[in-house]
Amino acid sequence: MHWITKTLAPSIILCGLIAVGFSATAQEKKKPDLGKITEAWLSSPHADRSAEAFKHWNDEDIRMVPKECSTCHTSRGIIDYLGTDLRAVNVIEQPQPLGSTVDCVTCHNPKSMALQSVVFPSGARVDGLGKEAICATCHQGRASGTDVTAAVAGREDDVVAGDLTFINVHYKAAAATQMGSVAAGGYQYEGQTYAGIFIHVKEEPSTCLSCHNQHSLKVKPIDTCVTCHKGATKYSDIRSTEMDVTGTGDTAQGIAHSITTLHAMLGAAIQKYAAEVAGTPVVYDPHAFPYFFIDTDGNGAITPGEAIFPNRYQSWTPRLLKAAYNYQFIAKDPGAYTHNPHYAIQLLQDSLADLGKAVQVDMAGMVRP
């Protein structure tokens, strides 16, 4: 199994049973409070019908959620995908109606509750995930570094290829980040080694439910973290390495700050490379598909009329595509600093180093985890 299990001594178990006494009162106290659970779910993004995740297709002519999207964006889609309704397992056979969310039935059905394994876009299968399996089914992205590898195969690193297009990992691929090199969600440069499954504390892999409430999705209070992470008042204060990963001499601020710094450096390096090597300036908009656009006025920022599909960036070289994919991979997982900070840092640093083979990139003093 993937997760590490620990065996409790019989005496400890016995003491626990005596303390509980298996009384009717004790059993009644363990019954879930459906009112609180419902309230928590209603406050979650999973219940927000006004969110783009659930209304994106409302204006489409077909007015149905396409098969390839319905697994994660409708309630019935996941049931179809897992085969609960006796259709083929792992196949979506039909589009799903508009108007649903990720509701109770999505997770509380026999197939979802029995699910233990997840296959990631890279083809990697992870077993023994338990309750986290249903979370990872959707929060894994829709692309991986292997897609980038296939797209650039046989091409020269710095030659613009007109048929190359941006490869988007999709949104909130937290499970792919958390699994690191096992899922290979990021583009992993040849010859480098990458962090695997994020181990939070010694011999204990981090899990979704160790930090998130399973119904509200809210991050649990940081109170338990300060036992080890003294002085932290929020998760982004936590420093998970003493290394100077940015080369700035900063080893005190939370690792989230370091990842943000590296991400900004990569964005600047991408723009430098696009202008100097690819020959067409590029600009990024996190809210507009396909995210990378031609910087028509060369000012380095999105201006009105630039973030539109006809102005999408099309001067991709293999080297630029690799870096842009990793830039987006980190951008679309805002919790990367908690899900797998070393993996995130490695992807960012290696992308900078690769761009540095073609343009000037200052990585002096950076230490790679």
Side-chain angles (χ1 to χ4, degrees):
M1 286 184 61
H2 164 62
W3 302 131
I4 299 171
T5 57
K6 294 183 178 179
T7 303
L8 297 176
S11 58
I12 296 176
I13 297 174
L14 180 60
C15 290
L17 298 182
I18 293 173
V20 172
F22 282 101
S23 66
T25 302
Q27 289 185 21
E28 287 171 3
K29 287 181 180 179
K30 290 183 178 180
K31 289 182 178 179
D33 187 327
L34 296 181
K36 287 185 177 179
I37 289 173
T38 302
E39 183 180 359
W41 173 76
L42 286 171
S43 70
S44 77
H46 280 171
D48 185 4
R49 293 180 183 275
S50 66
E52 184 67 16
F54 303 118
K55 70 175 187 178
H56 178 77
W57 304 270
N58 289 7
D59 296 329
E60 299 285 344
D61 293 336
I62 301 176
R63 294 190 61 77
M64 295 283 282
V65 181
K67 291 187 293 184
E68 63 271 20
C69 303
S70 62
T71 298
C72 300
H73 294 276
T74 69
S75 176
R76 286 288 304 175
I78 190 68
I79 298 174
D80 189 349
Y81 176 75
L82 295 177
T84 305
D85 57 2
L86 303 182
R87 293 191 177 95
V89 177
N90 291 346
V91 174
I92 296 290
E93 296 191 345
Q94 58 190 15
Q96 296 295 326
L98 300 174
S100 71
T101 60
V102 175
D103 59 22
C104 305
V105 177
T106 303
C107 300
H108 296 281
N109 67 74
K111 287 291 184 180
S112 293
M113 296 177 74
L115 190 64
Q116 292 288 320
S117 304
V118 173
V119 177
F120 286 82
S122 63
R125 175 185 172 121
V126 180
D127 299 315
L129 286 172
K131 292 181 179 180
E132 269 70 35
I134 191 63
C135 307
T137 297
C138 286
H139 290 281
Q140 58 171 261
R142 295 190 62 195
S144 71
T146 58
D147 294 301
V148 180
T149 299
V152 303
R155 303 174 187 268
E156 295 184 37
D157 285 339
D158 301 309
V159 175
V160 173
D163 59 336
L164 277 183
T165 58
F166 177 63
I167 296 173
N168 182 38
V169 67
H170 208 52
Y171 310 102
K172 292 185 171 61
T177 308
Q178 192 257 337
M179 292 291 165
S181 62
V182 174
Y187 177 78
Q188 300 175 179
Y189 288 87
E190 187 176 354
Q192 295 284 35
T193 58
Y194 291 87
I197 298 168
F198 181 50
I199 305 296
H200 179 207
V201 292
K202 188 177 181 181
E203 296 183 347
E204 288 291 346
S206 178
T207 68
C208 307
L209 300 184
S210 62
C211 293
H212 291 272
N213 179 283
Q214 62 185 325
H215 294 112
S216 71
L217 308 184
K218 292 179 180 178
V219 178
K220 295 178 180 179
I222 198 172
D223 300 3
T224 56
C225 304
V226 296
T227 303
C228 298
H229 301 289
K230 306 293 184 183
T233 59
K234 54 185 182 295
Y235 282 96
S236 58
D237 289 338
I238 295 174
R239 182 81 183 183
S240 54
T241 181
E242 296 180 358
M243 299 176 183
D244 180 6
V245 298
T246 60
T248 61
D250 176 19
T251 58
Q253 292 193 76
I255 203 63
H257 180 267
S258 297
I259 291 174
T260 298
T261 298
L262 288 170
H263 193 249
M265 291 177 67
L266 179 56
I270 286 172
Q271 289 187 310
K272 185 178 182 67
Y273 178 96
E276 296 181 7
V277 179
T280 304
V282 68
V283 67
Y284 175 82
D285 187 323
H287 307 296
F289 181 84
Y291 312 102
F292 289 93
F293 302 92
I294 300 171
D295 187 5
T296 54
D297 56 12
N299 71 347
I302 288 288
T303 52
E306 286 185 337
I308 56 175
F309 188 77
N311 190 49
R312 65 195 181 280
Y313 196 78
Q314 299 182 74
S315 299
W316 296 105
T317 71
R319 195 185 305 277
L320 183 58
L321 184 63
K322 296 171 188 177
Y325 176 85
N326 279 345
Y327 183 86
Q328 179 80 333
F329 183 82
I330 300 303
K332 292 306 175 185
D333 182 6
Y337 69 93
T338 56
H339 297 144
N340 202 332
H342 284 188
Y343 187 64
I345 291 167
Q346 289 165 350
L347 293 176
L348 293 170
Q349 286 185 343
D350 291 351
S351 298
L352 281 166
D354 192 56
L355 289 176
K357 295 176 181 178
V359 296
Q360 186 175 357
V361 175
D362 184 7
M363 298 184 66
M366 288 188 190
V367 180
R368 189 178 188 274

